[in-house]
Amino acid sequence: MSDVSTALGVRLYPDLVELGGLASALALTATRCQVDVGRIKAPEQGRSRFTCAELTSERGTICVGLGSQARYFMIDMAGSDGSRADGDTTDLDQVVRIADAWRAGVGLAELRARFPFLDHVTEPVGEDRALA
């Protein structure tokens, strides 16, 4: 069994195993969906090089990880302005679509309306409001 097969689990993520990990799958999905997710980075060593990815842009970072007991993608968004949002989805297309919308400047309230899987959304520091 290859390193990527062991790290990802063939049963839950056979498509990601075939593509060499989460970062590669995100890049391919973004191309297929014709969206811009910014720079995609993965850790250089260890199991996480297959199971984690960071989408970075001027607006901030979106970290994506994999569920270990069931197939889902965990999203943690951290804006350079202090905004934060997180949630889980089973659809990789939704991960790249939310990254594209966020990079394009869509506000947190609208992101939550478009992507109801966002569980926690916190406005930038100084806004004195949180959507939870």
Side-chain angles (χ1 to χ4, degrees), residues 20-124:
L22 178 59
S24 298
L26 285 166
L28 181 68
T29 302
T31 299
R32 182 177 46 75
C33 292
Q34 299 180 345
V35 298
D36 183 1
V37 297
R39 294 179 303 278
I40 302 173
K41 299 187 319 184
E44 293 183 19
Q45 297 181 357
R47 178 181 185 275
S48 61
R49 73 183 185 266
F50 306 117
T51 63
C52 299
E54 282 187 359
L55 312 175
T56 58
S57 69
E58 290 180 12
R59 191 163 182 202
T61 302
I62 299 176
C63 295
V64 183
L66 303 177
S68 61
Q69 302 300 314
R71 183 185 170 97
Y72 62 93
F73 304 96
M74 300 173 287
I75 300 168
D76 184 12
M77 302 167 63
S80 54
D81 62 357
S83 59
R84 295 199 57 91
D86 61 68
D88 304 331
T89 181
T90 58
D91 186 350
L92 196 56
D93 286 7
Q94 292 296 305
V95 175
V96 300
R97 290 187 193 291
I98 198 170
D100 180 55
W102 189 65
R103 282 178 41 80
V106 174
L108 292 176
E110 185 176 340
L111 282 177
R112 190 167 190 197
R114 284 191 201 177
F115 304 97
F117 61 83
L118 285 178
D119 294 326
H120 304 98
V121 177
T122 305
E123 293 292 335

